[in-house]
Amino acid sequence: MKVHSTDDYSALYDHLDKVLPQFGLHKKADHWLATKGTAPCCGSKAADHLYVYKDNPFGLKCHRCAGFTHLTKLDSLPDLLARAGIAASLTPSSAEDPVPDPVPALDQEACLRLVSLFQEQLHAGEAGSQALEYLKARGLTDAVIKEMGYGLHPGPEVANQHGLIQDLIACKVDSADWTGRIVVPYVADGRIIGFWGRHPHNNAERKYLFSLGTNKAFPYGLDAVHPDQPVLAVEGLMSRDILVAQGIPNVISVGGSTITAGQVKHLKARGVPVILSFDYDPESAAGEKGTAASIELLNKASIRCYVISPESLKDVAAPNAKEDPDSYIIRHGVKAYLTLMNIAVEGTVYLVKQAIKDLQPDNQEQVDRAFDTAARAAGNAGVSTVQRIVETLADRMRLDTEQAAVLLEEARQRRARQEQTNALEASLRRAGALVSGGNI
């Protein structure tokens, strides 16, 4: 349906008695009324009752002040939708905190028996010695190895000798692929929900394994973070443990190159800011793409986020090599990484910087696209954040801050109009389908 066609609206108004209830309005005598929203005459004050007269469906009357507003067909439907609360039903309020999904759990006694066996194997025999040597070379300490339950999978035969073959099966770590791997329990809400394994050789075809059913919707290590401090989110599970071993506080792993919607729910429940520090991969740019996607998810959930740019981890001596936070610490030390944390930029500012880093100020198409990206990134950001976005744009585009502020505000207004149009279009499609299908 064309949003700007009054003929399309007329088709809808021909069925007012059937359509308006779908918009949350109620019939009273010869008119309709809404008890939500505001009237044009009363600004932000509640409208009390907002009347839609049957003989004048393009007029709205406010019961509070008796003011009457004449609207065209084009303007009246958006007003009806907004004042009837339809916009809220189309776009869930950010004030509604998402409820974390329940975390599944395995037979805890079986899991603990396996953890004990795996830890015993890590400290016994040549295979265990080699695995321990590998872990310590990566930067793990005895304390973290013990705290996180690191062990070595001996294979089904040894497990059977200890009478634990059924536990392997119950915990879904009984396949031959697990044999010889470093194995760690995946803990969520104080319960073991699975195991993850790392091959001690980097040239292995499959470096990581996860037990069937392991729910990565719960960030790895979240149980161990301090509830009142910002959370540092990295990609790798072992990277998380290495950073903790090196003295970096409050670290979690998202188990990939982007945060998931399920993880966002659990982070939202903690109510603390998140610092993103994803890997530098010059070939795929997965860390940069994942950072941008994660910022969008966190912003949508109203979680403050900051970013350590993946590019800041780059080794200038080997610029084409993949790097992660733990390899950065090996090269530069913990103090240097803590400095990166302290200067992490706000997520929205990072998005803008990424959008304009290759921009040619004389290319108007690129400039317009950059301001559109900045408008989306700014969203409902606070004044200080918007000011930093303005300064970033002004610096890159050789504008003064007043010019940049005006252009950004114009872009934000364009975006707001487009979002309103999209919401209205969706409402029209829904109402039109109801009418044409004879469902109302």
Side-chain angles (χ1 to χ4, degrees):
M1 216 175 254
K2 295 179 181 179
V3 173
H4 296 297
S5 167
T6 54
D7 289 340
D8 292 326
Y9 291 139
S10 294
L12 204 57
Y13 279 106
D14 287 342
H15 302 274
L16 277 177
D17 285 359
K18 296 179 179 179
V19 174
L20 287 180
Q22 306 301 319
F23 292 163
L25 280 81
H26 309 282
K27 186 74 175 288
K28 184 176 181 180
D30 290 328
H31 55 263
W32 296 84
L33 62 88
T35 56
K36 299 178 182 178
T38 59
C41 45
C42 287
S44 61
K45 295 179 181 178
D48 190 10
H49 290 80
L50 188 63
Y51 292 102
V52 182
Y53 282 86
K54 186 176 181 180
D55 58 351
N56 186 358
F58 313 117
L60 306 176
K61 182 178 180 181
C62 176
H63 180 69
R64 178 182 292 275
C65 69
F68 196 90
T69 305
H70 293 278
L71 298 167
T72 66
K73 289 181 179 180
L74 190 62
D75 292 328
S76 61
L77 187 56
D79 267 82
L80 288 175
L81 292 175
R83 287 165 176 74
I86 298 300
S89 67
L90 291 172
T91 307
S93 170
S94 60
E96 296 177 4
D97 293 347
V99 179
D101 297 325
V103 176
L106 300 170
D107 180 335
Q108 296 301 286
E109 292 185 1
C111 290
L112 292 174
R113 287 192 293 267
L114 288 181
V115 170
S116 180
L117 171 65
F118 297 156
Q119 289 180 319
E120 177 186 308
Q121 296 297 310
L122 183 62
H123 295 86
E126 184 177 351
S129 296
Q130 291 176 352
L132 268 176
E133 184 179 346
Y134 166 80
L135 292 173
K136 292 185 178 181
R138 288 289 306 271
L140 287 165
T141 60
D142 288 331
V144 170
I145 289 172
K146 181 178 180 180
E147 177 189 353
M148 301 307 295
Y150 275 72
L152 184 69
H153 197 303
E157 185 176 339
V158 174
N160 191 40
Q161 292 171 4
H162 287 75
L164 300 178
I165 189 66
Q166 291 303 316
D167 289 346
L168 283 187
I169 296 172
C171 295
K172 302 178 178 63
V173 288
D174 54 311
S175 74
D177 286 343
W178 287 92
T179 302
R181 286 182 182 270
I182 295 164
V183 186
V184 188
Y186 200 115
V187 179
D189 281 341
R191 299 172 293 169
I192 298 174
I193 62 171
F195 289 86
W196 64 272
R198 174 61 158 90
H199 201 288
H201 301 296
N202 286 329
N203 58 357
E205 185 176 347
R206 295 177 65 190
K207 291 182 183 179
Y208 286 95
L209 282 181
F210 290 87
S211 59
L212 186 65
T214 299
N215 186 355
K216 289 195 290 182
F218 191 96
Y220 175 71
L222 186 61
D223 273 5
V225 303
H226 193 282
D228 300 321
Q229 297 176 0
V231 171
L232 175 69
V234 299
E235 289 190 26
L237 283 76
M238 189 172 287
S239 290
R240 179 266 169 198
D241 291 343
I242 293 170
L243 265 62
V244 170
Q246 296 301 314
I248 305 297
N250 268 35
V251 191
I252 62 167
S253 165
V254 300
S257 60
T258 185
I259 281 178
T260 68
Q263 291 168 348
V264 167
K265 292 180 182 180
H266 290 283
L267 291 169
K268 177 70 172 177
R270 297 294 173 120
V272 295
V274 175
I275 304 172
L276 302 173
S277 182
F278 291 165
D279 298 353
Y280 172 68
D281 186 345
E283 184 175 343
S284 69
E288 292 183 356
K289 295 174 184 175
T291 297
S294 298
I295 292 170
E296 298 280 1
L297 284 172
L298 292 168
N299 282 349
K300 189 175 180 181
S302 300
I303 300 174
R304 283 185 297 152
C305 70
Y306 301 86
V307 175
I308 297 174
S309 170
E311 195 169 359
S312 66
L313 305 177
K314 179 172 65 175
D315 184 355
V316 293
N320 294 323
K322 295 180 181 180
E323 302 293 343
D324 53 28
D326 43 304
S327 66
Y328 181 90
I329 287 176
I330 289 173
R331 291 198 318 275
H332 300 287
V334 173
K335 187 175 180 180
Y337 187 77
L338 288 172
T339 298
L340 291 182
M341 290 180 64
N342 289 333
I343 62 173
V345 300
E346 291 167 281
T348 50
V349 176
Y350 171 83
L351 290 178
V352 174
K353 286 187 173 183
Q354 289 298 105
I356 65 176
K357 67 177 182 179
D358 298 320
L359 178 140
Q360 300 297 323
D362 297 330
N363 186 317
Q364 190 58 46
E365 184 179 348
Q366 290 184 6
V367 170
D368 291 343
R369 192 161 56 243
F371 272 101
D372 287 342
T373 300
R376 186 183 74 239
N380 296 320
V383 174
S384 61
T385 299
V386 172
Q387 181 60 33
R388 279 187 282 277
I389 291 175
V390 167
E391 291 168 357
T392 300
L393 291 167
D395 181 64
R396 184 69 182 85
M397 297 184 186
R398 300 196 292 269
L399 302 169
D400 61 46
T401 54
E402 289 186 8
Q403 287 177 299
V406 169
L407 292 172
L408 178 60
E409 182 56 32
E410 289 176 354
R412 294 179 80 177
Q413 290 178 9
R414 284 197 304 272
R415 179 171 175 78
R417 288 195 295 270
Q418 185 59 52
E419 288 178 345
Q420 183 182 27
T421 297
N422 292 343
L424 175 58
E425 195 171 28
S427 299
L428 288 172
R429 284 196 298 269
R430 184 179 65 178
L434 289 169
V435 171
S436 61
N439 296 321
I440 59 173

